[in-house]
PDB file of all heavy atoms in Angstrom:
ATOM      1  N   ASP Q1147      45.927 132.668 306.380  1.00 96.00           N
ATOM      2  CA  ASP Q1147      47.069 131.838 306.005  1.00 96.00           C
ATOM      3  C   ASP Q1147      46.691 130.401 305.660  1.00 96.00           C
ATOM      4  O   ASP Q1147      47.545 129.588 305.356  1.00 96.00           O
ATOM      5  CB  ASP Q1147      48.147 131.884 307.109  1.00 96.00           C
ATOM      6  CG  ASP Q1147      47.565 131.792 308.515  1.00 96.00           C
ATOM      7  OD1 ASP Q1147      46.424 131.309 308.648  1.00 96.00           O
ATOM      8  OD2 ASP Q1147      48.246 132.225 309.462  1.00 96.00           O
ATOM      9  N   ARG Q1148      45.390 130.109 305.689  1.00 95.00           N
ATOM     10  CA  ARG Q1148      44.997 128.740 305.327  1.00 95.00           C
ATOM     11  C   ARG Q1148      44.442 128.658 303.905  1.00 95.00           C
ATOM     12  O   ARG Q1148      43.940 127.628 303.487  1.00 95.00           O
ATOM     13  CB  ARG Q1148      43.990 128.224 306.352  1.00 95.00           C
ATOM     14  CG  ARG Q1148      44.696 128.087 307.717  1.00 95.00           C
ATOM     15  CD  ARG Q1148      43.920 127.303 308.727  1.00 95.00           C
ATOM     16  NE  ARG Q1148      42.764 128.023 309.194  1.00 95.00           N
ATOM     17  CZ  ARG Q1148      41.585 127.467 309.426  1.00 95.00           C
ATOM     18  NH1 ARG Q1148      41.408 126.195 309.209  1.00 95.00           N
ATOM     19  NH2 ARG Q1148      40.592 128.188 309.877  1.00 95.00           N
ATOM     20  N   ALA Q1149      44.544 129.783 303.170  1.00 95.00           N
ATOM     21  CA  ALA Q1149      44.100 129.775 301.762  1.00 95.00           C
ATOM     22  C   ALA Q1149      45.282 129.429 300.875  1.00 95.00           C
ATOM     23  O   ALA Q1149      46.326 130.085 300.948  1.00 95.00           O
ATOM     24  CB  ALA Q1149      43.554 131.150 301.394  1.00 95.00           C
ATOM     25  N   ASP Q1150      45.123 128.389 300.044  1.00 95.00           N
ATOM     26  CA  ASP Q1150      46.217 128.072 299.130  1.00 95.00           C
ATOM     27  C   ASP Q1150      46.109 128.980 297.894  1.00 95.00           C
ATOM     28  O   ASP Q1150      45.182 129.777 297.775  1.00 95.00           O
ATOM     29  CB  ASP Q1150      46.211 126.580 298.759  1.00 95.00           C
ATOM     30  CG  ASP Q1150      44.889 126.157 298.133  1.00 95.00           C
ATOM     31  OD1 ASP Q1150      44.128 127.058 297.705  1.00 95.00           O
ATOM     32  OD2 ASP Q1150      44.604 124.947 298.070  1.00 95.00           O
ATOM     33  N   GLU Q1151      47.058 128.818 296.984  1.00 94.00           N
ATOM     34  CA  GLU Q1151      47.113 129.722 295.818  1.00 94.00           C
ATOM     35  C   GLU Q1151      45.811 129.736 295.011  1.00 94.00           C
ATOM     36  O   GLU Q1151      45.277 130.798 294.711  1.00 94.00           O
ATOM     37  CB  GLU Q1151      48.298 129.360 294.912  1.00 94.00           C
ATOM     38  CG  GLU Q1151      49.554 130.187 295.175  1.00 94.00           C
ATOM     39  CD  GLU Q1151      49.299 131.691 295.310  1.00 94.00           C
ATOM     40  OE1 GLU Q1151      48.465 132.231 294.544  1.00 94.00           O
ATOM     41  OE2 GLU Q1151      49.897 132.337 296.184  1.00 94.00           O
ATOM     42  N   PRO Q1152      45.272 128.548 294.643  1.00 94.00           N
ATOM     43  CA  PRO Q1152      44.022 128.583 293.859  1.00 94.00           C
ATOM     44  C   PRO Q1152      42.891 129.280 294.629  1.00 94.00           C
ATOM     45  O   PRO Q1152      42.124 130.041 294.058  1.00 94.00           O
ATOM     46  CB  PRO Q1152      43.702 127.101 293.642  1.00 94.00           C
ATOM     47  CG  PRO Q1152      44.979 126.375 293.841  1.00 94.00           C
ATOM     48  CD  PRO Q1152      45.792 127.187 294.791  1.00 94.00           C
ATOM     49  N   ALA Q1153      42.823 129.046 295.953  1.00 94.00           N
ATOM     50  CA  ALA Q1153      41.768 129.695 296.749  1.00 94.00           C
ATOM     51  C   ALA Q1153      41.959 131.209 296.745  1.00 94.00           C
ATOM     52  O   ALA Q1153      40.995 131.970 296.608  1.00 94.00           O
ATOM     53  CB  ALA Q1153      41.781 129.160 298.172  1.00 94.00           C
ATOM     54  N   ARG Q1154      43.198 131.645 296.862  1.00 95.00           N
ATOM     55  CA  ARG Q1154      43.459 133.097 296.879  1.00 95.00           C
ATOM     56  C   ARG Q1154      42.988 133.749 295.578  1.00 95.00           C
ATOM     57  O   ARG Q1154      42.347 134.800 295.587  1.00 95.00           O
ATOM     58  CB  ARG Q1154      44.959 133.361 297.049  1.00 95.00           C
ATOM     59  CG  ARG Q1154      45.468 132.941 298.389  1.00 95.00           C
ATOM     60  CD  ARG Q1154      46.959 133.176 298.500  1.00 95.00           C
ATOM     61  NE  ARG Q1154      47.460 132.618 299.758  1.00 95.00           N
ATOM     62  CZ  ARG Q1154      48.661 132.827 300.243  1.00 95.00           C
ATOM     63  NH1 ARG Q1154      49.515 133.582 299.585  1.00 95.00           N
ATOM     64  NH2 ARG Q1154      49.030 132.295 301.376  1.00 95.00           N
ATOM     65  N   ALA Q1155      43.311 133.095 294.469  1.00 92.00           N
ATOM     66  CA  ALA Q1155      42.924 133.653 293.165  1.00 92.00           C
ATOM     67  C   ALA Q1155      41.398 133.676 293.052  1.00 92.00           C
ATOM     68  O   ALA Q1155      40.807 134.663 292.590  1.00 92.00           O
ATOM     69  CB  ALA Q1155      43.539 132.824 292.047  1.00 92.00           C
ATOM     70  N   ALA Q1156      40.755 132.593 293.504  1.00 90.00           N
ATOM     71  CA  ALA Q1156      39.301 132.510 293.397  1.00 90.00           C
ATOM     72  C   ALA Q1156      38.634 133.587 294.255  1.00 90.00           C
ATOM     73  O   ALA Q1156      37.624 134.178 293.867  1.00 90.00           O
ATOM     74  CB  ALA Q1156      38.827 131.115 293.831  1.00 90.00           C
ATOM     75  N   MET Q1157      39.213 133.841 295.430  1.00 91.00           N
ATOM     76  CA  MET Q1157      38.639 134.846 296.324  1.00 91.00           C
ATOM     77  C   MET Q1157      38.682 136.235 295.690  1.00 91.00           C
ATOM     78  O   MET Q1157      37.727 136.993 295.749  1.00 91.00           O
ATOM     79  CB  MET Q1157      39.396 134.854 297.660  1.00 91.00           C
ATOM     80  CG  MET Q1157      39.051 133.649 298.538  1.00 91.00           C
ATOM     81  SD  MET Q1157      40.366 133.247 299.702  1.00 91.00           S
ATOM     82  CE  MET Q1157      40.083 134.422 300.997  1.00 91.00           C
ATOM     83  N   ARG Q1158      39.799 136.551 295.082  1.00 89.00           N
ATOM     84  CA  ARG Q1158      39.936 137.878 294.445  1.00 89.00           C
ATOM     85  C   ARG Q1158      38.915 138.049 293.325  1.00 89.00           C
ATOM     86  O   ARG Q1158      38.334 139.113 293.146  1.00 89.00           O
ATOM     87  CB  ARG Q1158      41.343 138.061 293.871  1.00 89.00           C
ATOM     88  CG  ARG Q1158      42.279 138.660 294.876  1.00 89.00           C
ATOM     89  CD  ARG Q1158      43.390 139.486 294.212  1.00 89.00           C
ATOM     90  NE  ARG Q1158      44.261 140.014 295.250  1.00 89.00           N
ATOM     91  CZ  ARG Q1158      44.224 141.255 295.700  1.00 89.00           C
ATOM     92  NH1 ARG Q1158      43.373 142.119 295.200  1.00 89.00           N
ATOM     93  NH2 ARG Q1158      45.037 141.648 296.653  1.00 89.00           N
ATOM     94  N   LEU Q1159      38.715 136.961 292.602  1.00 83.00           N
ATOM     95  CA  LEU Q1159      37.779 137.015 291.481  1.00 83.00           C
ATOM     96  C   LEU Q1159      36.339 137.152 291.989  1.00 83.00           C
ATOM     97  O   LEU Q1159      35.541 137.925 291.461  1.00 83.00           O
ATOM     98  CB  LEU Q1159      37.914 135.708 290.681  1.00 83.00           C
ATOM     99  CG  LEU Q1159      37.484 135.721 289.232  1.00 83.00           C
ATOM    100  CD1 LEU Q1159      38.315 136.707 288.436  1.00 83.00           C
ATOM    101  CD2 LEU Q1159      37.610 134.312 288.651  1.00 83.00           C
ATOM    102  N   ALA Q1160      36.027 136.401 293.046  1.00 80.00           N
ATOM    103  CA  ALA Q1160      34.641 136.355 293.527  1.00 80.00           C
ATOM    104  C   ALA Q1160      34.235 137.642 294.233  1.00 80.00           C
ATOM    105  O   ALA Q1160      33.113 138.118 294.071  1.00 80.00           O
ATOM    106  CB  ALA Q1160      34.456 135.166 294.466  1.00 80.00           C
TER     107      ALA Q1160
END
Side-chain angles (χ1 to χ4, degrees):
D1147 43 21
R1148 294 193 289 140
D1150 57 17
E1151 264 314 320
R1154 293 178 186 191
M1157 286 155 81
R1158 270 209 181 258
L1159 203 61

